[in-house]
């Protein structure tokens, strides 16, 4: 799991794609001295050209879609995406709304059409995701913790 | 004036010492969770009967119920869940409980899914699958006199009733 690009400090770029600002505030929380993600060398940068990891929040509205594609294309390879919140993961309440793409899963197909490859996506559910959950997601990307969730199928007669 | 400027870092140090260390060592330390915190919901598969009350109440349709001829399938997708806890409020059997699990980060979307498949029970007369076994048990618990016709499908019940009425007329 450990990659050459993940051995050093990862710089993050915050990308809001039509979020309600709930997850954005939780990201800000994670950057404060209380949680202090700079322990892991995580630093917020202003340009996607400097970033390794994109913190993507929001359900990706049609209005923001071209800008999101441009921003992701500007990120140098290998590019990682942390999809934060219920909206980014599965579309949230707006998953079948007309003005929304509905989560990263559909967004990935659109990116493939535009020849933008994403090396790894980590999904962080939560509405909004707790700062701890965001840190957990980054730690999962860095290989510090293990996944806890797994698929469950139960058949009842 | 210059002395004050020189002493400023030392003043800061004393303030910092008073405040102490506030940073939490989160991935290596237990997180602060209050009892009111709502996380992922847990569906108890020994109690769930597949009625769909939770799917009806769910605002983002994270809980979806699909009914086919043979089974009722309850899909829970955590990725869309907003942790409102309405499903736990409306569940008639108390199968859904709210846990404080929030460390749900994953690289595969399939890991976020929970699927409960309720097989339909077949009718005694015609053999058509019509309702889940748990649902029939629930009805029996509530209405004891339903014992006579609980294993028949609604069509068979209707036909039997019509037969009885038609016999009476003769």
């Amino acid at each position: 799991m450990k990659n050459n690009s993940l051995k050093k400090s990862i710089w993050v770029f915050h990308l809001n794609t039509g979020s309600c600002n709930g997850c954005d505030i939780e990201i800000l929380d994670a950057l404060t001295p209380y949680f202090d993600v700079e322990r892991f060398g995580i630093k917020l940068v202003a340009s996607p050209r400097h970033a390794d990891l994109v913190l993507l929040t929001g359900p990706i509205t049609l209005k923001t879609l071209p800008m999101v594609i441009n921003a992701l294309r500007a990120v140098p390879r290998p590019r990682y995406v942390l999809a934060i919140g219920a909206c980014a993961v599965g579309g949230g309440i707006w998953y079948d709304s007309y003005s929304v793409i509905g989560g990263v899963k559909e967004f990935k197909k659109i990116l493939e059409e535009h020849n933008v490859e994403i090396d790894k996506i980590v999904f962080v559910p939560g509405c909004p995701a707790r700062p701890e959950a965001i840190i957990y997601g980054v730690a999962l990307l860095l290989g510090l913790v293990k996944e806890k969730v797994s698929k469950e199928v139960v058949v009842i007669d | 004036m210059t002395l004050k400027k020189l002493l400023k870092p030392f003043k800061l140090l004393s303030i910092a010492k008073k405040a102490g260390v506030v940073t939490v060592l989160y991935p290596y330390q237990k997180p602060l969770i209050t009892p009111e915190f709502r996380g992922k919901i847990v569906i108890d598969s020994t109690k769930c009967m597949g009625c769909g009350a939770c799917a009806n109440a769910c605002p983002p349709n994270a809980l979806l119920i699909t009914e086919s001829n043979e089974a009722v399938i309850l899909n829970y997708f955590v990725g869309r869940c907003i942790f409102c806890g309405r499903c736990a409020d409306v569940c008639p059997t108390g199968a859904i409980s709210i846990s404080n699990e929030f460390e749900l980060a994953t690289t595969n979307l399939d890991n976020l899914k929970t699927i409960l498949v309720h097989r339909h029970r077949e009718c005694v007369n015609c053999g058509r699958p019509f309702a889940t076994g748990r649902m029939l048990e629930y009805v029996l618990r509530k209405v004891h006199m339903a014992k006579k016709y609980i294993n028949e499908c609604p069509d068979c019940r209707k036909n039997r009733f019509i037969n009885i009425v038609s016999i009476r007329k003769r």
Side-chain angles (χ1 to χ4, degrees), chain A residues 46-63:
Chain A
S47 167
R49 287 182 201 286
H50 303 155
D52 302 302
L53 176 69
V54 174
L55 306 175
L56 195 138
T57 60
I60 313 168
T61 55
L62 290 178
K63 206 77 172 166

Side-chain angles (χ1 to χ4, degrees), chain A:
Chain A
M1 191 167 183
K2 272 207 170 176
N3 199 313
N4 255 354
S5 60
L6 292 174
K7 272 180 187 165
K8 295 184 177 175
S9 305
I10 49 170
W11 287 7
V12 296
F13 176 68
H14 180 189
L15 190 61
N16 183 335
T17 65
S19 161
C20 69
N21 284 168
C23 297
D24 305 332
I25 282 168
E26 301 299 317
I27 289 169
L28 282 184
D29 265 2
L31 293 163
T32 54
Y34 185 72
F35 292 104
D36 197 18
V37 282
E38 254 172 68
R39 285 177 294 149
F40 309 109
I42 296 164
K43 194 186 155 196
L44 192 74
V45 290
S47 167
R49 287 182 201 286
H50 303 155
D52 302 302
L53 176 69
V54 174
L55 306 175
L56 195 138
T57 60
I60 313 168
T61 55
L62 290 178
K63 206 77 172 166
T64 58
L65 180 64
M67 283 81 100
V68 173
I69 291 168
N70 279 346
L72 282 176
R73 192 177 276 144
V75 179
R77 292 288 295 275
R79 47 173 89 90
Y80 302 103
V81 169
L82 199 71
I84 295 167
C87 299
V89 175
I93 295 187
W94 301 277
Y95 74 104
D96 55 355
S97 178
Y98 68 95
S99 61
V100 151
I101 283 163
V104 163
K105 205 181 171 186
E106 280 77 14
F107 181 53
K108 239 177 155 179
K109 290 172 198 164
I110 297 166
L111 282 181
E112 273 169 23
E113 284 169 23
H114 288 80
N115 291 325
V116 182
E117 276 182 50
I118 294 174
D119 292 280
K120 200 168 203 176
I121 302 181
V122 177
F123 300 97
V124 183
C127 188
R130 280 174 73 113
E132 283 108 327
I134 296 167
I135 293 168
Y136 187 86
V138 177
L140 188 76
L141 184 79
L142 294 171
L144 298 172
V145 288
K146 280 181 182 172
E147 279 188 28
K148 279 187 178 178
V149 284
S150 60
K151 193 182 179 181
E152 276 179 61
V153 179
V154 186
V155 180
I156 302 152
D157 275 314

Side-chain angles (χ1 to χ4, degrees), chain B residues 30-102:
Chain B
K30 271 197 171 175
L32 176 83
I33 293 176
T34 50
E36 293 86 20
F37 175 69
R38 296 192 299 266
K40 181 192 180 185
I41 63 161
V42 177
I43 307 169
D44 188 351
S45 59
T46 59
K47 282 181 186 170
C48 178
M49 61 177 186
C51 64
C54 48
N56 207 12
C58 188
N61 286 359
L63 283 154
L64 269 175
I65 208 142
T66 46
E67 197 167 356
S68 68
N69 255 339
E70 275 133 35
V72 172
I73 300 161
L74 179 68
N75 266 302
Y76 176 48
F77 179 43
V78 193
R80 208 181 287 149
C81 183
I82 58 168
F83 308 125
C84 58
R86 282 194 192 186
C87 43
D89 287 346
V90 297
C91 187
T93 54
I96 296 176
S97 55
I98 304 163
S99 73
N100 50 24
E101 185 60 45
F102 68 89

